[in-house]
Amino acid sequence: MTRIEAILSRNKDLFHPTTPFNFTKDPFFVFDFTKDNTALADVNLNDERSFNDYIFGSLAKENCKVGVGGYGENRTIYSRSDVFSDTENRSLHLGIDIWAPAGTPVYAPADAIVHSFKDNHQHGDYGPTIILEHELEGVKFHTLYGHLSRSSIEDLTIGAEIKKGTEFAWFGDYEENVHWPPHLHFQVIEDMGDKFGDFPGVCKPSEKAMWLKNCPNPNLILNIPGI
């Protein structure tokens, strides 16, 4: 266990929920975006209706208001965008996604300041993104919120204080978050390096150990049972 993982584990009961869903009581659907999910073969991921129908049709079929999943998942869905292309494609997901309607509020899990924000508007990217900086036990770390509404970043200022439990952002719609069905990409980052308003949410599988060390499991904060 790394230092930041140990700190998050010791403080896991202190975090405020990042969304309005009660994952210990309300049913939720776990999405699978790996090659093992044969249902994805029938989904046109670059077509708004097809992708949205798959996400929200799955939730309706399972009588769930929210879907989750993704940390450490080796996904096939990123081939739809050049953002993730390289000699070895980036396909290993470094965050947890929470799939729910546009406009769903987002709350700060702990006291924070605004580290940075940006509209990452390339096709398949995050769209509007906010990164918060936190400190626990004298150690700084960051949380990233991707696929937000543009209104989420309109009145932000770098260094602004955001108290634990404050509603500070909202899920974006399909166009705002650059052709993804509404959801939140939530990621924990220890060292931001020189990144500002953006940070890789997907890595090359061959670099898994390095990236997962710097981006520990977000469920240490989310506390979603069974994932």
Side-chain angles (χ1 to χ4, degrees):
M1 181 178 288
T2 65
R3 175 183 64 168
I4 191 62
E5 287 174 327
I7 291 171
L8 296 177
S9 295
R10 285 194 293 270
N11 291 277
K12 65 179 182 179
D13 294 331
L14 301 180
F15 296 116
H16 190 280
T18 58
T19 60
F21 307 106
N22 186 336
F23 291 101
T24 61
K25 294 182 179 180
D26 301 330
F28 59 90
F29 182 73
V30 179
F31 282 98
D32 177 1
F33 290 113
T34 71
K35 64 181 180 180
D36 295 328
N37 184 359
T38 57
L40 291 176
D42 298 323
V43 182
N44 182 349
L45 298 173
N46 283 311
D47 178 77
E48 176 179 359
R49 177 172 292 181
S50 179
F51 203 172
N52 270 287
D53 284 352
Y54 174 71
I55 294 296
F56 292 101
S58 297
L59 295 182
K61 180 180 179 182
E62 300 297 330
N63 196 29
C64 295
K65 294 182 179 180
V66 60
V68 300
Y71 180 69
E73 185 176 67
N74 194 359
R75 295 177 161 185
T76 60
I77 59 174
Y78 297 116
S79 60
R80 73 195 189 100
S81 172
D82 291 339
V83 169
F84 309 100
S85 299
D86 204 336
T87 51
E88 179 191 358
N89 289 344
R90 294 188 295 127
S91 60
L92 196 83
H93 195 235
L94 300 173
I96 285 178
D97 291 328
I98 300 178
W99 302 84
T104 296
V106 181
Y107 307 97
D111 290 347
I113 63 169
V114 177
H115 173 278
S116 53
F117 58 93
K118 182 181 177 183
D119 189 352
N120 298 290
H121 53 77
Q122 187 173 350
H123 174 70
D125 210 326
Y126 287 131
T129 307
I130 297 174
I131 298 171
L132 301 183
E133 181 178 296
H134 312 272
E135 185 172 330
L136 279 176
E137 300 183 13
V139 175
K140 292 182 179 180
F141 67 98
H142 308 80
T143 50
L144 180 149
Y145 307 80
H147 305 291
L148 303 174
S149 66
R150 290 197 181 96
S151 61
S152 300
I153 62 175
E154 285 178 353
D155 299 318
L156 275 188
T157 56
I158 303 301
E161 293 186 1
I162 298 182
K163 293 295 185 181
K164 172 183 171 180
T166 299
E167 180 179 329
F168 71 97
W170 303 269
F171 289 24
D173 62 27
Y174 190 85
E175 292 300 328
E176 288 178 308
N177 65 52
V178 208
H179 303 288
W180 289 93
H183 73 289
L184 172 70
H185 172 95
F186 178 73
Q187 185 170 333
V188 179
I189 306 157
E190 183 172 14
D191 182 5
M192 284 290 300
D194 61 356
K195 299 294 185 182
F196 184 90
D198 191 15
F199 195 88
V202 185
C203 73
K204 299 176 182 179
S206 64
E207 298 175 347
K208 174 180 178 178
M210 175 184 71
W211 285 99
L212 294 189
K213 182 179 180 181
N214 192 41
C215 300
N217 193 337
N219 211 32
L220 292 168
I221 290 177
L222 296 176
N223 293 311
I224 301 174
I227 68 167

